[in-house]
Tab-separated table of all heavy atoms in Angstrom:
chain	number	residue	atom	x	y	z
A	15	GLY	N	0.859	-1.184	0.000
A	15	GLY	CA	0.000	0.000	0.000
A	15	GLY	C	0.888	1.224	0.000
A	15	GLY	O	2.101	1.130	0.238
A	16	SER	N	0.313	2.368	-0.264
A	16	SER	CA	1.127	3.584	-0.234
A	16	SER	C	0.263	4.814	-0.030
A	16	SER	O	-0.957	4.784	-0.236
A	16	SER	CB	1.947	3.744	-1.526
A	16	SER	OG	1.122	4.139	-2.607
A	17	GLY	N	0.902	5.889	0.401
A	17	GLY	CA	0.264	7.189	0.559
A	17	GLY	C	1.143	8.248	-0.061
A	17	GLY	O	2.373	8.113	-0.087
A	18	ILE	N	0.534	9.308	-0.578
A	18	ILE	CA	1.241	10.326	-1.336
A	18	ILE	C	0.989	11.703	-0.724
A	18	ILE	O	-0.160	12.091	-0.523
A	18	ILE	CB	0.769	10.342	-2.806
A	18	ILE	CG1	0.856	8.950	-3.433
A	18	ILE	CG2	1.550	11.362	-3.625
A	18	ILE	CD1	0.092	8.823	-4.748
A	19	ILE	N	2.072	12.443	-0.455
A	19	ILE	CA	1.972	13.820	0.016
A	19	ILE	C	2.653	14.720	-1.009
A	19	ILE	O	3.828	14.530	-1.328
A	19	ILE	CB	2.646	14.017	1.391
A	19	ILE	CG1	2.127	12.989	2.401
A	19	ILE	CG2	2.422	15.452	1.887
A	19	ILE	CD1	0.662	13.082	2.711
A	20	ILE	N	1.923	15.678	-1.540
A	20	ILE	CA	2.469	16.645	-2.495
A	20	ILE	C	2.223	18.045	-1.957
A	20	ILE	O	1.080	18.415	-1.653
A	20	ILE	CB	1.832	16.494	-3.890
A	20	ILE	CG1	2.067	15.080	-4.439
A	20	ILE	CG2	2.395	17.533	-4.859
A	20	ILE	CD1	1.377	14.814	-5.770
A	21	ASP	N	3.296	18.822	-1.811
A	21	ASP	CA	3.200	20.195	-1.294
A	21	ASP	C	2.416	20.251	0.022
A	21	ASP	O	1.583	21.141	0.229
A	21	ASP	CB	2.565	21.125	-2.336
A	21	ASP	CG	3.458	21.314	-3.554
A	21	ASP	OD1	4.688	21.199	-3.404
A	21	ASP	OD2	2.919	21.555	-4.650
A	22	GLY	N	2.665	19.274	0.889
A	22	GLY	CA	2.070	19.289	2.213
A	22	GLY	C	0.640	18.813	2.291
A	22	GLY	O	0.014	18.888	3.351
A	23	LYS	N	0.096	18.293	1.181
A	23	LYS	CA	-1.286	17.830	1.173
A	23	LYS	C	-1.362	16.384	0.692
A	23	LYS	O	-0.586	15.965	-0.162
A	23	LYS	CB	-2.140	18.716	0.270
A	23	LYS	CG	-2.241	20.160	0.752
A	23	LYS	CD	-3.090	20.986	-0.194
A	23	LYS	CE	-3.181	22.429	0.291
A	23	LYS	NZ	-3.988	23.273	-0.631
A	24	ILE	N	-2.312	15.643	1.251
A	24	ILE	CA	-2.547	14.271	0.802
A	24	ILE	C	-3.110	14.317	-0.607
A	24	ILE	O	-4.075	15.044	-0.878
A	24	ILE	CB	-3.532	13.542	1.728
A	24	ILE	CG1	-2.957	13.423	3.146
A	24	ILE	CG2	-3.877	12.159	1.190
A	24	ILE	CD1	-3.954	12.893	4.162
A	25	TYR	N	-2.498	13.542	-1.518
A	25	TYR	CA	-3.037	13.460	-2.869
A	25	TYR	C	-3.961	12.251	-2.942
A	25	TYR	O	-3.546	11.111	-2.720
A	25	TYR	CB	-1.923	13.332	-3.914
A	25	TYR	CG	-2.484	13.277	-5.310
A	25	TYR	CD1	-2.986	14.434	-5.906
A	25	TYR	CD2	-2.572	12.076	-6.008
A	25	TYR	CE1	-3.550	14.393	-7.173
A	25	TYR	CE2	-3.131	12.030	-7.273
A	25	TYR	CZ	-3.620	13.193	-7.853
A	25	TYR	OH	-4.189	13.148	-9.095
A	26	LEU	N	-5.242	12.514	-3.235
A	26	LEU	CA	-6.261	11.468	-3.213
A	26	LEU	C	-6.626	10.936	-4.586
A	26	LEU	O	-7.056	9.790	-4.713
A	26	LEU	CB	-7.536	12.003	-2.527
A	26	LEU	CG	-7.379	12.435	-1.067
A	26	LEU	CD1	-8.647	13.117	-0.584
A	26	LEU	CD2	-7.042	11.245	-0.191
A	27	GLY	N	-6.479	11.776	-5.614
A	27	GLY	CA	-6.918	11.373	-6.941
A	27	GLY	C	-8.414	11.582	-7.125
A	27	GLY	O	-9.116	12.075	-6.243
A	28	LYS	N	-8.922	11.197	-8.303
A	28	LYS	CA	-10.324	11.444	-8.659
A	28	LYS	C	-11.300	10.790	-7.701
A	28	LYS	O	-12.317	11.377	-7.331
A	28	LYS	CB	-10.577	10.943	-10.087
A	28	LYS	CG	-11.987	11.184	-10.590
A	28	LYS	CD	-12.242	10.502	-11.922
A	28	LYS	CE	-12.452	8.998	-11.740
A	28	LYS	NZ	-12.943	8.344	-12.976
A	29	SER	N	-11.018	9.557	-7.297
A	29	SER	CA	-11.971	8.804	-6.465
A	29	SER	C	-11.295	8.225	-5.229
A	29	SER	O	-11.641	7.134	-4.779
A	29	SER	CB	-12.619	7.684	-7.288
A	29	SER	OG	-11.629	6.843	-7.854
A	30	ASN	N	-10.308	8.963	-4.677
A	30	ASN	CA	-9.579	8.535	-3.470
A	30	ASN	C	-8.814	7.224	-3.687
A	30	ASN	O	-8.515	6.509	-2.724
A	30	ASN	CB	-10.537	8.370	-2.280
A	30	ASN	CG	-11.227	9.666	-1.916
A	30	ASN	OD1	-10.587	10.700	-1.792
A	30	ASN	ND2	-12.533	9.626	-1.776
A	31	PHE	N	-8.478	6.930	-4.932
A	31	PHE	CA	-7.829	5.666	-5.288
A	31	PHE	C	-6.302	5.810	-5.423
A	31	PHE	O	-5.599	4.809	-5.549
A	31	PHE	CB	-8.431	5.155	-6.600
A	31	PHE	CG	-8.078	3.730	-6.944
A	31	PHE	CD1	-8.615	2.672	-6.226
A	31	PHE	CD2	-7.224	3.448	-8.003
A	31	PHE	CE1	-8.296	1.361	-6.556
A	31	PHE	CE2	-6.898	2.139	-8.340
A	31	PHE	CZ	-7.440	1.096	-7.619
A	32	ALA	N	-5.818	7.060	-5.380
A	32	ALA	CA	-4.383	7.292	-5.534
A	32	ALA	C	-3.603	6.543	-4.456
A	32	ALA	O	-3.986	6.539	-3.287
A	32	ALA	CB	-4.073	8.779	-5.460
A	33	GLY	N	-2.526	5.876	-4.852
A	33	GLY	CA	-1.690	5.143	-3.899
A	33	GLY	C	-2.056	3.688	-3.744
A	33	GLY	O	-1.379	2.950	-3.016
A	34	GLU	N	-3.107	3.222	-4.428
A	34	GLU	CA	-3.511	1.818	-4.309
A	34	GLU	C	-2.615	0.943	-5.199
A	34	GLU	O	-3.044	0.374	-6.206
A	34	GLU	CB	-4.982	1.654	-4.679
A	34	GLU	CG	-5.940	2.283	-3.686
A	34	GLU	CD	-5.888	1.596	-2.326
A	34	GLU	OE1	-5.770	0.355	-2.276
A	34	GLU	OE2	-5.960	2.309	-1.304
A	35	VAL	N	-1.351	0.851	-4.792
A	35	VAL	CA	-0.337	0.183	-5.621
A	35	VAL	C	-0.513	-1.335	-5.658
A	35	VAL	O	0.164	-2.013	-6.437
A	35	VAL	CB	1.094	0.540	-5.146
A	35	VAL	CG1	1.386	2.016	-5.378
A	35	VAL	CG2	1.285	0.199	-3.670
A	36	VAL	N	-1.426	-1.863	-4.844
A	36	VAL	CA	-1.697	-3.294	-4.903
A	36	VAL	C	-2.261	-3.666	-6.284
A	36	VAL	O	-2.174	-4.821	-6.716
A	36	VAL	CB	-2.664	-3.706	-3.767
A	36	VAL	CG1	-4.074	-3.209	-4.021
A	36	VAL	CG2	-2.650	-5.210	-3.552
A	37	PHE	N	-2.799	-2.663	-6.996
A	37	PHE	CA	-3.402	-2.915	-8.303
A	37	PHE	C	-2.426	-2.729	-9.468
A	37	PHE	O	-2.828	-2.839	-10.624
A	37	PHE	CB	-4.616	-2.000	-8.501
A	37	PHE	CG	-5.770	-2.328	-7.606
A	37	PHE	CD1	-5.960	-1.653	-6.408
A	37	PHE	CD2	-6.673	-3.327	-7.935
A	37	PHE	CE1	-7.015	-1.948	-5.564
A	37	PHE	CE2	-7.748	-3.636	-7.101
A	37	PHE	CZ	-7.915	-2.949	-5.920
A	38	LEU	N	-1.157	-2.439	-9.176
A	38	LEU	CA	-0.164	-2.333	-10.252
A	38	LEU	C	-0.006	-3.689	-10.967
A	38	LEU	O	-0.171	-4.743	-10.342
A	38	LEU	CB	1.193	-1.903	-9.686
A	38	LEU	CG	1.377	-0.433	-9.315
A	38	LEU	CD1	2.727	-0.243	-8.631
A	38	LEU	CD2	1.284	0.464	-10.546
A	39	PRO	N	0.350	-3.670	-12.257
A	39	PRO	CA	0.598	-4.935	-12.971
A	39	PRO	C	2.007	-5.455	-12.657
A	39	PRO	O	2.975	-5.100	-13.330
A	39	PRO	CB	0.458	-4.526	-14.446
A	39	PRO	CG	0.835	-3.071	-14.473
A	39	PRO	CD	0.400	-2.496	-13.156
A	40	TYR	N	2.123	-6.263	-11.627
A	40	TYR	CA	3.444	-6.763	-11.214
A	40	TYR	C	3.985	-7.749	-12.230
A	40	TYR	O	3.247	-8.561	-12.805
A	40	TYR	CB	3.368	-7.365	-9.805
A	40	TYR	CG	3.134	-6.293	-8.772
A	40	TYR	CD1	1.834	-5.925	-8.408
A	40	TYR	CD2	4.196	-5.600	-8.210
A	40	TYR	CE1	1.617	-4.904	-7.498
A	40	TYR	CE2	3.984	-4.585	-7.294
A	40	TYR	CZ	2.695	-4.233	-6.944
A	40	TYR	OH	2.489	-3.206	-6.057
A	41	GLN	N	5.287	-7.657	-12.441
A	41	GLN	CA	5.931	-8.369	-13.547
A	41	GLN	C	5.801	-9.880	-13.444
A	41	GLN	O	5.666	-10.571	-14.451
A	41	GLN	CB	7.422	-7.976	-13.603
A	41	GLN	CG	7.632	-6.500	-13.935
A	41	GLN	CD	9.090	-6.081	-13.763
A	41	GLN	OE1	9.910	-6.848	-13.257
A	41	GLN	NE2	9.415	-4.865	-14.176
A	42	ASP	N	5.816	-10.395	-12.224
A	42	ASP	CA	5.859	-11.858	-12.062
A	42	ASP	C	4.534	-12.477	-11.640
A	42	ASP	O	4.497	-13.633	-11.211
A	42	ASP	CB	6.954	-12.229	-11.044
A	42	ASP	CG	8.337	-11.861	-11.566
A	42	ASP	OD1	8.515	-11.842	-12.797
A	42	ASP	OD2	9.220	-11.575	-10.736
A	43	GLY	N	3.435	-11.690	-11.725
A	43	GLY	CA	2.140	-12.289	-11.419
A	43	GLY	C	1.385	-11.591	-10.310
A	43	GLY	O	1.635	-10.420	-9.997
A	44	ASN	N	0.467	-12.297	-9.693
A	44	ASN	CA	-0.387	-11.758	-8.641
A	44	ASN	C	0.438	-11.388	-7.417
A	44	ASN	O	1.220	-12.194	-6.909
A	44	ASN	CB	-1.448	-12.807	-8.268
A	44	ASN	CG	-2.405	-12.300	-7.212
A	44	ASN	OD1	-2.059	-12.233	-6.038
A	44	ASN	ND2	-3.615	-11.956	-7.632
A	45	ILE	N	0.245	-10.168	-6.914
A	45	ILE	CA	1.080	-9.676	-5.823
A	45	ILE	C	0.913	-10.500	-4.550
A	45	ILE	O	1.871	-10.714	-3.798
A	45	ILE	CB	0.797	-8.176	-5.542
A	45	ILE	CG1	1.793	-7.626	-4.518
A	45	ILE	CG2	-0.631	-7.959	-5.098
A	45	ILE	CD1	3.237	-7.711	-4.918
A	46	TYR	N	-0.274	-11.018	-4.291
A	46	TYR	CA	-0.486	-11.800	-3.069
A	46	TYR	C	0.274	-13.130	-3.130
A	46	TYR	O	0.752	-13.632	-2.109
A	46	TYR	CB	-1.978	-12.033	-2.852
A	46	TYR	CG	-2.731	-10.744	-2.594
A	46	TYR	CD1	-3.504	-10.154	-3.595
A	46	TYR	CD2	-2.643	-10.105	-1.361
A	46	TYR	CE1	-4.184	-8.961	-3.365
A	46	TYR	CE2	-3.311	-8.913	-1.121
A	46	TYR	CZ	-4.078	-8.351	-2.123
A	46	TYR	OH	-4.736	-7.158	-1.899
A	47	ASP	N	0.413	-13.679	-4.328
A	47	ASP	CA	1.229	-14.889	-4.495
A	47	ASP	C	2.708	-14.556	-4.367
A	47	ASP	O	3.487	-15.328	-3.795
A	47	ASP	CB	0.955	-15.527	-5.868
A	47	ASP	CG	-0.464	-16.066	-5.989
A	47	ASP	OD1	-1.045	-16.420	-4.943
A	47	ASP	OD2	-0.981	-16.117	-7.123
A	48	LEU	N	3.097	-13.376	-4.884
A	48	LEU	CA	4.507	-12.978	-4.830
A	48	LEU	C	4.975	-12.779	-3.389
A	48	LEU	O	6.108	-13.130	-3.037
A	48	LEU	CB	4.717	-11.687	-5.628
A	48	LEU	CG	4.473	-11.772	-7.139
A	48	LEU	CD1	4.602	-10.393	-7.779
A	48	LEU	CD2	5.465	-12.746	-7.781
A	49	VAL	N	4.110	-12.217	-2.541
A	49	VAL	CA	4.471	-11.981	-1.138
A	49	VAL	C	4.832	-13.291	-0.452
A	49	VAL	O	5.769	-13.370	0.355
A	49	VAL	CB	3.311	-11.279	-0.394
A	49	VAL	CG1	3.593	-11.220	1.101
A	49	VAL	CG2	3.094	-9.888	-0.949
A	50	LYS	N	4.104	-14.349	-0.799
A	50	LYS	CA	4.315	-15.656	-0.167
A	50	LYS	C	5.634	-16.307	-0.608
A	50	LYS	O	6.089	-17.268	0.023
A	50	LYS	CB	3.152	-16.589	-0.494
A	50	LYS	CG	1.815	-16.117	0.060
A	50	LYS	CD	0.680	-16.991	-0.436
A	50	LYS	CE	-0.683	-16.480	0.013
A	50	LYS	NZ	-1.788	-17.286	-0.560
A	51	GLN	N	6.243	-15.802	-1.672
A	51	GLN	CA	7.478	-16.409	-2.187
A	51	GLN	C	8.724	-15.976	-1.431
A	51	GLN	O	9.808	-16.481	-1.697
A	51	GLN	CB	7.627	-16.073	-3.676
A	51	GLN	CG	6.554	-16.721	-4.546
A	51	GLN	CD	6.651	-16.300	-6.006
A	51	GLN	OE1	7.679	-15.787	-6.446
A	51	GLN	NE2	5.580	-16.509	-6.757
């Protein structure tokens, strides 16, 4: 997970989804499977 601060303010994005890096396309597959490795 992650949080973003720009110029002293929380950056939320259009629908408060900014920083939801769990949804990135990880190179080696599903992130929850990768954590277990």
